[in-house]
Structure formats: C-alpha cells, structure tokens
Amino acid sequence: MAELCCTVENCAYNNECLCCKGDINVGGTQAHREDDTCCESFLQRRGDSFRNATEHPSHAIDIDCEAANCVYNEHYKCMAEHVDIRGCGACDCRETACGTFQEN
C-alpha cells in the first residue's frame, strides 16, 4: 500500500487530499512521462452532491497500475511508498496524472 496524496480537488473521492475510494487504478500503458499517466478512478464532483460511498479518507491505498514503464510498477501494482496524484481543475481522468511516475 502506498501513502497517497491527491491534489485533484474536484474528484468525488478526494477528502482533504486523501482518497475515500479504497483503491485506485493508474492508467498509462505506453507512458514515458508523468503526463502520459492518469487516475482512471477519477470521478468528477458535481456541486455539493454526496461525495462518495465511504466518506472515510485513507492515508494508505492499494494502487493498480498499468504504467508498465514505471520503476515502481511490479506486476501491475504500484510499489512506491508515496504517490502523488495531480490534476488541478480536472474534469476528466485524462486531465489527471501520477506525479510519482518515473520511467525505467
């Protein structure tokens, strides 16, 4: 499990830079840089609507990762100790990125 910091403020799962989803999926099968990745679990928050099913943010989270070129990817699981998900103003998962991505 990685310690996750998410700065995608308009994601429905974000609660004070922590994720309430329980696990996330990072996409980027052909990634060679951070901007080639994305948080496929992103769900745009709509107004003041109910945030998510759990409402309990977690400091540590399981991350499935499709970015096979990342040094932290081990059998499609993220093995980084700390992961930053970025995407200020994101309206779509393609506008997010894994800030921890490092190419092999």
Side-chain angles (χ1 to χ4, degrees):
M1 292 182 119
E3 178 182 303
L4 181 75
C5 177
C6 178
T7 58
V8 186
E9 294 176 352
N10 56 329
C11 179
Y13 300 115
N14 188 316
N15 187 342
E16 298 182 17
C17 295
L18 298 176
C19 187
C20 295
K21 187 171 184 307
D23 62 350
I24 64 169
N25 186 47
V26 172
T29 55
Q30 302 297 318
H32 292 284
R33 56 193 180 93
E34 173 185 322
D35 289 341
D36 295 335
T37 66
C38 68
C39 179
E40 292 184 342
S41 300
F42 170 82
L43 176 65
Q44 186 177 8
R45 184 178 297 157
R46 306 275 185 208
D48 291 333
S49 64
F50 183 71
R51 258 192 201 165
N52 55 61
T54 63
E55 275 295 319
H56 300 289
S58 181
H59 289 276
I61 192 167
D62 284 322
I63 302 173
D64 291 334
C65 182
E66 296 173 1
N69 294 329
C70 182
V71 297
Y72 300 111
N73 187 316
E74 204 171 291
H75 306 289
Y76 297 99
K77 294 285 186 186
C78 180
M79 295 296 146
E81 289 183 24
H82 180 86
V83 173
D84 291 311
I85 300 294
R86 301 178 181 155
C88 184
C91 296
D92 183 270
C93 75
R94 294 174 301 225
E95 296 172 343
T96 66
C98 177
T100 306
F101 176 86
Q102 289 184 28
E103 188 174 21
N104 282 330

